[in-house]
């Protein structure tokens, strides 16, 4: 058992994303930021994931300014972000030059720790990000996107973890986005990892299936170095174990986090009030969601599918679509259900139920099947392969090797975009260019706002 377990507070990113649909505004974070900074967390996850997208599309906030303000408000605490490898914070692959520029600017604007993952666990898709983070002098955390399938064995995870260490990562994260990592499997996995890798091991798990407290405790028994938690008033459900609960349980085991529970009370009270302000964005789940253990469909996916089916007047098909998600995932070699693969598979499952199976293939499902997102974990279904290859060639090389997008070209495109909007040219600010690259559609209002603030 590790007697020095760190805590990463996720209320500002994944806690917000899981419970409030990533709608938490900067104006509701800044008043509590100094108290978060005083606690003594190993890090605060404050950026990345869906934050960037939500800032641009829904909050009319400059995501870069948000990061700068958070860093300024919490100068003593390391700021952490979730990065989708070659996808960055978007939904497709970007060229190595764009990856370099994005990480460079993220580092300059305040990110200290980069948690880097790939939806397919194809390490070719995180290698470039890791190198750039290392060159920037920041912390590179390589990630296992955890899932359960006949091909995702203990030996498979151990092999991937060793390869991640060999890439030069500073730490390893086990990312359980669906809350399906059981306590005993966590104990066995981390116990075995401790025998073969030297870098610290972090655990990220969700409370969705009701196992997270036990899973975290068994991970601690096995020697985990850091766990992710969320302040109690923004915990559980589709979110994470409560920070206070885990501190109390660890102290019973003789583990000192050097965090005082009484210091967390005003933070919890603050977010309790904030949560009420955003109640319209909360999901409908009560208690725990055992569907996760049966079909591994993340909660966010379920709520989005339900919304789509209601709009189509076909909400009665939800159960069928959920079952079909498993089938599509199996046909694609048991791809983990995490962004962007989860969205692609969910959309195809819906199409398969409304129409004939694979009668219509989206561009994204074709690209996923044929290697343009990376190497599939297992074998591709032959009938799906035949249908997909009638549209496009299958590839085996690293997808980003086919990309040569130049940053300067996007600068020119942004200049034209600004002219069409009738605003000043913003292409000289590299952060604005990156925003345009990642969210080219739906960013008009933000750029108009940036123009008016000059």
């Amino acid at each position: 058992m590790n007697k020095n377990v760190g805590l990463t507070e996720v209320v500002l990113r994944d806690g917000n994303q899981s419970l409030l649909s990533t709608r938490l505004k900067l104006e509701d974070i800044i008043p509590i930021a100094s108290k978060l900074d005083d606690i003594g967390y190993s890090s605060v996850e404050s950026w990345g994931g869906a934050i960037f997208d939500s800032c641009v599309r829904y909050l009319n906030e400059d995501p870069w300014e948000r990061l700068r303000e958070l860093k300024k408000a919490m100068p003593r605490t390391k700021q952490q972000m979730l990065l989708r490898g070659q996808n960055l914070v978007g939904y497709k692959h970007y060229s190595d030059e764009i990856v370099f520029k994005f990480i460079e600017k993220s580092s300059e604007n305040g990110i200290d720790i980069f948690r880097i993952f790939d939806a397919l666990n194809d390490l070719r898709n995180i290698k470039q990000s890791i190198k750039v983070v290392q060159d920037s002098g920041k912390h590179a955390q390589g990630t296992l996107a955890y899932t359960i399938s006949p091909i995702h064995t203990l030996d498979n995870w151990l092999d991937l973890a060793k390869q991640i260490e060999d890439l030069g990562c500073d730490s390893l994260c086990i990312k359980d986005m669906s809350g399906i990592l059981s306590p005993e499997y966590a104990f066995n996995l981390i116990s075995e990892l401790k025998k073969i890798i030297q870098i610290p091991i972090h655990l990220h798990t969700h409370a969705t299936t009701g196992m997270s407290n036990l899973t975290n405790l068994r991970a601690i028994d096995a020697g985990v170095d850091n766990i992710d938690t969320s302040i109690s008033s923004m915990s559980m459900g589709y979110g994470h174990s409560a920070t206070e609960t885990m501190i109390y349980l660890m102290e019973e085991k003789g583990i000192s986090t050097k965090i005082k529970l009484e210091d967390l009370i005003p933070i919890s009270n603050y977010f309790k009030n904030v949560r009420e302000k955003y109640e319209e964005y909360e999901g409908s789940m009560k208690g725990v969601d055992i569907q996760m253990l049966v079909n591994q469909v993340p909660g966010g996916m379920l709520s989005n599918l339900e919304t789509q089916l209601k709009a189509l007047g076909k909400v009665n098909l939800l159960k069928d679509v959920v079952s079909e998600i498993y089938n599509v995932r199996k046909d694609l070699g048991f791809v983990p259900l995490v962004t962007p693969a989860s969205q692609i598979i969910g959309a195809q499952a819906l199409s398969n139920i409304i129409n004939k199976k694979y009668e219509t293939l989206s561009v994204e499902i074709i690209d996923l099947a044929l290697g343009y997102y990376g190497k599939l974990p297992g074998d591709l279904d032959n009938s799906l392969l035949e249908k997909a290859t009638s549209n496009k060639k299958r590839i085996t090389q690293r997808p980003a090797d086919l990309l040569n997008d130049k940053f300067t070209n996007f600068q020119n495109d942004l200049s034209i975009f600004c002219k069409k909007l009738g605003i000043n040219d913003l292409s000289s600010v590299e952060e604005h260019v990156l925003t345009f690259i990642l969210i080219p559609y739906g960013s008009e209002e933000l750029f108009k706002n940036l123009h008016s603030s000059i």
Side-chain angles (χ1 to χ4, degrees), residues 329-344:
R329 177 175 177 256
K330 180 181 178 182
D331 289 346
L332 286 161
F334 291 102
V335 171
L337 290 174
V338 64
T339 303
S342 54
Q343 288 87 345
I344 297 170

Side-chain angles (χ1 to χ4, degrees), residues 186-285:
F187 178 84
N188 292 334
L189 173 58
I190 293 167
S191 296
E192 293 302 315
L193 285 171
K194 281 291 180 179
K195 295 176 184 177
I196 64 169
I197 65 173
Q198 304 303 312
I199 56 177
I201 300 171
H202 292 221
L203 175 62
H204 173 93
T205 187
H206 284 245
T208 322
T209 60
M211 296 193 295
S212 64
N213 288 350
L214 282 172
T215 297
N216 278 319
L217 283 176
R218 289 299 278 155
I220 290 166
D221 290 341
V224 81
D225 298 280
N226 197 97
I227 60 172
D228 287 5
T229 62
S230 189
I231 199 73
S232 56
S233 57
M234 283 280 287
S235 68
M236 306 309 288
Y238 289 132
H240 313 76
S241 288
T243 303
E244 298 96 315
T245 301
M246 291 313 306
I247 289 173
Y248 187 90
L249 293 174
M250 283 192 285
E251 287 180 347
E252 277 203 327
K253 286 178 170 286
I255 298 169
S256 175
T257 62
K258 299 180 181 178
I259 296 176
K260 298 177 181 178
L261 284 174
E262 56 266 31
D263 291 342
L264 295 170
I265 293 173
I267 297 173
S268 182
N269 289 339
Y270 178 84
F271 279 106
K272 180 181 179 181
N273 293 327
V274 166
R275 185 169 180 172
E276 292 173 358
K277 179 178 176 180
Y278 292 88
E279 62 181 352
E280 67 181 290
Y281 299 110
E282 293 223 29
S284 60
M285 187 189 84

Side-chain angles (χ1 to χ4, degrees), residues 277-315:
K277 179 178 176 180
Y278 292 88
E279 62 181 352
E280 67 181 290
Y281 299 110
E282 293 223 29
S284 60
M285 187 189 84
K286 300 293 188 294
V288 299
D289 185 357
I290 297 304
Q291 286 192 81
M292 295 283 197
L293 295 176
V294 178
N295 52 50
Q296 300 186 46
V297 179
M301 252 185 109
L302 282 174
S303 59
N304 286 334
L305 281 171
E306 189 173 355
T307 300
Q308 290 173 17
L309 288 170
K310 282 180 180 178
L312 294 169
K314 297 180 182 292
V315 72

Side-chain angles (χ1 to χ4, degrees), residues 362-376:
S362 68
V363 172
E364 291 79 14
I365 203 77
I366 291 171
D367 283 349
L368 182 58
L370 299 184
Y372 291 88
Y373 283 89
K375 186 179 184 298
L376 298 176

Side-chain angles (χ1 to χ4, degrees), residues 405-452:
D405 297 330
K406 301 296 182 184
F407 188 78
T408 53
N409 291 341
F410 286 110
Q411 282 183 304
N412 293 332
D413 291 342
L414 177 56
S415 182
I416 295 169
F417 181 74
C418 290
K419 187 175 180 179
K420 287 181 179 178
L421 290 178
I423 63 175
N424 291 334
D425 190 347
L426 301 173
S427 62
S428 62
V429 180
E430 292 184 327
E431 287 85 349
H432 294 342
V433 178
L434 287 164
T435 298
F436 177 73
I437 292 170
L438 291 161
I439 318 289
Y441 307 106
S443 58
E444 291 85 357
E445 289 304 311
L446 175 64
F447 279 108
K448 289 177 182 178
N449 186 50
L450 290 171
H451 159 77
S452 63

